[in-house]
Amino acid sequence: MALASSVSGRMPQKDVVLTRRQVEGMIADDRTVIIVDGKVLKVDAWLRYHPGGDKAIMHMVGRDATDEVHALHSVEARQHMVKFQVGRIKGRWRNFLPPIQGGKFRTYSDAIEATGEATEDEDTSIGSSSPPDSPLFDAIDGSSDFRRRRRSYNSELHEVSSISSLSSIESHTTNDPGKLSTMDARTQHEIDLDLAKYPALDPATQDDIVQKYRLLFGRLRAEGLFQCNYTSYFIELSRYTFLFSMFLILLRYGWYGTSGLCLGMLWHQLVFTVHDAGHMGITHNFTIDTVVGIVIADFIGGLSLGWWKRNHNVHHIVTNSPEHDPDIEHMPFFAISHRFFDSLRSTYYDRIMTYDPFAKFMLRYQHYLYYPILLFGRFNLYRLSWEYLIMGQGPKKGPAWWHRWLEIAGQVFFWYWFGYKVVYQSIPTAAGRFAFVMVSHMITAPLHVQITLSHFAMSTADLGINESFPQKMLRTTMDVDCPEWLDFFHGGLQFQAIHHLFPRMPRHNLRRTQKLVQEFCREVEIPYALYGFVDGNKEVIGRLADVGRQAAILAQCQKTLAEKGDYGHH
């Protein structure tokens, strides 16, 4: 694509100012382009080497990824990104909808032919990657007036949901609620609630939120809250040593169920340190934290750190998106949104999450099955880990090329010491082995409750490409209130909203950060979701029960229509 005609030949390539139309043309030519700190980065060469997986980058194509990149990457990683700079932007960037989410793009030559000018910018972007802006997402002068209007919003929803999800809101262009199907009306209702509850989506309001978020980021860094408190890890290590010792002692004396209980508790605690290492929140050194994470996750726990990072990074970017966030894609066992009834396609797993007869049955009773199913959660993590390593889904070259092989060695070691030396050799009876395995695995269920607790009850509505990173994180994530002495049990996951804003912050500093985040939320008028552990569980069960009732109602409607022979209506 010829871009040189618009700039001086003497200007260095990295300093070339690219228009939105030119960036659109690059993406149309299958280039992986993101915007970071006003720089246009073409990261095709880095895509398959990215230690955090390719899917995380793909969800940022065509977007200003500055806040996401700063939140999830070290200074050294951001300096490495400059190597991929092909230009810069001028002024405020208007996001495109990424191709992985259904965005459509015109090549640069097609754009010139359509507009008649090579320098034409977004104002004539009739075929750009996202649908034409609705009144909801246009820049509005005066946020207070916009806020009053958005509370009574009942207009079209072109940019409210990604194009990949239009199957559930295909009637969004009508202003007549009576013409919407029951599920479409439900989708619109949930969007309306969020629009009334959270700040306006106009550029001025969202830019103000971003600016204050970045000021808070700088304040936290200046106060040393991104520095790890290693004394806290000494206490953690003492707890791990005690549990491991009790596991061995009780195993030796034949208390197999109790021994398994201690091993399961050890795994439960170790996962928190793996989470820290995966975010480089311990030493902040990529290699050291990766080795720490792999040794604990693979060698001691039998789970893949690489799988977790690939999965978790996407979760941090598209939190609670039914089509894109793997952490809420648990069909056919759980659905936290009625939109899963449309058999959505998961962009992470690259498959259809089919709403089949088995799913219809399970979802009707999911609020009863929630805790029993989570008892078996660790077994599913084994499956996902093996799939990741066997299929080679991680980077095969670049700085993380060796991770897969170290993890495979860790898996062999784990199943040797756990499967052969402990389960097979140390426990003489089949009943004892079964008890040991089931107790050690089921006792980790509270971890799976903690992981789902902070998101299952929160919003799954898509407010479009103009919502800022901090607002989206706070809208889709809740914190769990608990006394300080119980922090060890939750392992930092009780401060999930804070963690999503600052994922590289060591978990032992999250409680100190909470008050500052609450001040930020009050200043920008974003509700800060904070529930007690019991109340949080009630919220989750309530959400599952509500979706289950919707599934039952939909099934009854479909049955009635089938009996009447009316196949022409939803």
Side-chain angles (χ1 to χ4, degrees):
M1 179 172 54
L3 302 180
S5 60
S6 61
V7 298
S8 170
R10 293 172 295 178
M11 183 180 294
Q13 181 64 35
K14 291 185 176 182
D15 292 329
V16 172
V17 176
L18 301 177
T19 66
R20 189 170 185 268
R21 179 72 70 227
Q22 290 170 324
V23 172
E24 178 186 4
M26 295 170 68
I27 299 173
D29 289 336
D30 292 327
R31 301 292 187 262
T32 306
V33 180
I34 63 175
I35 313 297
V36 178
D37 292 320
K39 302 178 178 68
V40 180
L41 309 181
K42 184 169 73 68
V43 296
D44 301 77
W46 181 244
L47 196 62
R48 63 183 183 276
Y49 301 144
H50 183 223
D54 57 340
K55 293 292 178 72
I57 296 178
M58 293 167 68
H59 282 288
M60 287 288 98
V61 172
R63 295 176 61 99
D64 187 335
T66 299
D67 292 313
E68 289 85 346
V69 166
H70 279 256
L72 292 165
H73 295 81
S74 65
V75 174
E76 294 75 18
R78 298 199 301 271
Q79 291 173 344
H80 176 74
M81 295 177 190
V82 177
K83 297 179 181 179
F84 303 100
Q85 182 178 348
V86 294
R88 58 187 178 87
I89 63 169
K90 184 177 181 180
R92 187 184 190 276
W93 179 256
R94 281 185 61 212
N95 288 330
F96 285 111
L97 188 68
I100 193 174
Q101 297 179 15
K104 305 299 181 183
F105 296 80
R106 292 183 301 174
T107 63
Y108 190 58
S109 58
D110 288 344
I112 295 175
E113 182 178 348
T115 62
E117 297 183 37
T119 58
E120 194 71 27
D121 206 358
E122 65 267 12
D123 291 336
T124 56
S125 182
I126 58 174
S128 64
S129 65
S130 52
D133 287 337
S134 71
L136 173 61
F137 294 99
D138 284 337
I140 303 294
D141 294 329
S143 60
S144 60
D145 177 63
F146 179 82
R147 186 167 302 182
R148 286 193 298 271
R149 278 188 278 170
R150 69 189 175 94
R151 293 183 187 277
S152 60
Y153 159 73
N154 189 29
S155 62
E156 59 188 52
L157 301 172
H158 272 348
E159 286 191 9
V160 165
S161 184
S162 65
I163 294 176
S164 61
S165 64
L166 289 184
S167 60
S168 65
I169 57 170
E170 59 188 1
S171 301
H172 68 291
T173 54
T174 179
N175 290 333
D176 183 2
K179 295 182 180 179
L180 295 176
S181 72
T182 302
M183 293 297 103
D184 293 342
R186 179 81 184 194
T187 299
Q188 180 171 329
H189 175 67
E190 292 180 355
I191 292 169
D192 288 346
L193 289 178
D194 278 0
L195 292 173
K197 185 176 181 181
Y198 291 89
L201 297 173
D202 62 285
T205 301
Q206 293 300 308
D207 287 351
D208 181 63
I209 293 172
V210 168
Q211 180 183 14
K212 290 174 180 175
Y213 164 72
R214 293 176 182 176
L215 288 174
L216 175 60
F217 205 137
R219 178 182 176 183
L220 298 175
R221 191 175 298 280
E223 293 186 11
L225 292 175
F226 284 90
Q227 299 303 312
C228 185
N229 180 359
Y230 293 108
T231 302
S232 298
Y233 276 107
F234 176 76
I235 298 173
E236 299 283 349
L237 184 61
S238 300
R239 188 181 302 115
Y240 302 158
T241 302
F242 171 75
L243 290 172
F244 184 71
S245 299
M246 292 303 298
F247 146 64
L248 292 178
I249 292 171
L250 293 167
L251 180 68
R252 180 177 178 83
Y253 284 96
W255 291 51
Y256 302 126
T258 313
S259 174
L261 178 71
C262 291
L263 179 59
M265 293 171 64
L266 174 63
W267 283 338
H268 174 269
Q269 290 290 300
L270 285 175
V271 164
F272 303 139
T273 300
V274 173
H275 184 250
D276 299 341
H279 281 293
M280 292 196 298
I282 302 177
T283 69
H284 303 303
N285 180 282
F286 172 72
T287 301
I288 295 176
D289 279 3
T290 297
V291 171
V292 169
I294 290 177
V295 167
I296 297 175
D298 292 86
F299 285 77
I300 300 177
L303 306 178
S304 167
L305 177 72
W307 161 80
W308 174 85
K309 290 181 72 171
R310 186 173 189 261
N311 177 289
H312 198 65
N313 286 337
V314 173
H315 163 68
H316 267 270
I317 290 173
V318 286
T319 309
N320 263 27
S321 171
E323 298 94 341
H324 312 302
D325 181 1
D327 271 18
I328 65 168
E329 295 177 345
H330 302 295
M331 291 285 283
F333 300 103
F334 299 127
I336 63 171
S337 170
H338 64 279
R339 295 190 52 234
F340 284 102
F341 303 163
D342 282 336
S343 293
L344 300 176
R345 182 175 187 82
S346 167
T347 58
Y348 180 84
Y349 293 109
D350 195 24
R351 61 175 172 80
I352 301 293
M353 297 176 286
T354 307
Y355 186 54
D356 56 21
F358 181 71
K360 293 178 181 179
F361 174 81
M362 294 296 292
L363 297 190
R364 292 177 65 176
Y365 305 101
Q366 60 178 349
H367 51 301
Y368 297 116
L369 299 172
Y370 174 64
Y371 296 114
I373 288 176
L374 291 187
L375 290 172
F376 300 91
R378 191 173 185 87
F379 294 104
N380 185 51
L381 297 184
Y382 289 144
R383 178 189 67 82
L384 293 169
S385 297
W386 297 337
E387 179 181 349
Y388 172 83
L389 293 173
I390 293 173
M391 300 298 292
Q393 295 175 347
K396 299 179 178 64
K397 295 182 179 180
W401 70 268
W402 51 274
H403 292 184
R404 181 191 183 197
W405 305 110
L406 182 59
E407 289 202 84
I408 290 175
Q411 292 290 317
V412 172
F413 179 80
F414 171 79
W415 289 106
Y416 171 74
W417 79 259
F418 173 73
Y420 178 70
K421 297 296 289 183
V422 174
V423 176
Y424 181 74
Q425 279 198 333
S426 300
I427 304 176
T429 65
R433 292 168 185 162
F434 179 80
F436 177 84
V437 170
M438 297 309 293
V439 170
S440 64
H441 285 65
M442 287 184 172
I443 199 63
T444 63
L447 171 66
H448 304 289
V449 173
Q450 289 169 300
I451 292 172
T452 58
L453 181 61
S454 294
H455 299 290
F456 269 27
M458 298 301 288
S459 173
T460 59
D462 186 348
L463 298 190
I465 57 178
N466 297 320
E467 185 178 27
S468 64
F469 170 73
Q471 177 168 315
K472 182 175 178 63
M473 295 302 102
L474 289 165
R475 184 173 60 84
T476 56
T477 311
M478 77 159 69
D479 276 358
V480 177
D481 194 21
C482 74
E484 188 171 356
W485 65 270
L486 255 182
D487 283 355
F488 80 94
F489 177 77
H490 293 281
L493 298 184
Q494 75 273 35
F495 301 115
Q496 194 72 186
I498 303 169
H499 169 66
H500 267 252
L501 292 175
F502 312 106
R504 299 182 70 250
M505 177 177 288
R507 62 176 151 117
H508 302 103
N509 295 336
L510 293 174
R511 181 172 286 277
R512 292 167 57 192
T513 306
Q514 187 178 51
K515 286 184 172 52
L516 298 177
V517 171
Q518 289 174 325
E519 291 176 7
F520 163 77
C521 288
R522 285 192 292 268
E523 185 177 3
V524 298
E525 299 183 12
I526 295 179
Y528 177 74
L530 179 64
Y531 292 86
F533 185 75
V534 174
D535 289 337
N537 274 267
K538 289 180 179 178
E539 290 290 320
V540 171
I541 296 300
R543 168 64 66 85
L544 294 173
D546 180 50
V547 175
R549 284 192 295 270
Q550 294 174 46
I553 292 171
L554 179 62
Q556 184 60 45
C557 291
Q558 291 174 336
K559 180 180 179 181
T560 301
L561 291 174
E563 290 174 351
K564 293 181 177 181
D566 184 357
Y567 301 100
H569 298 82
H570 294 292

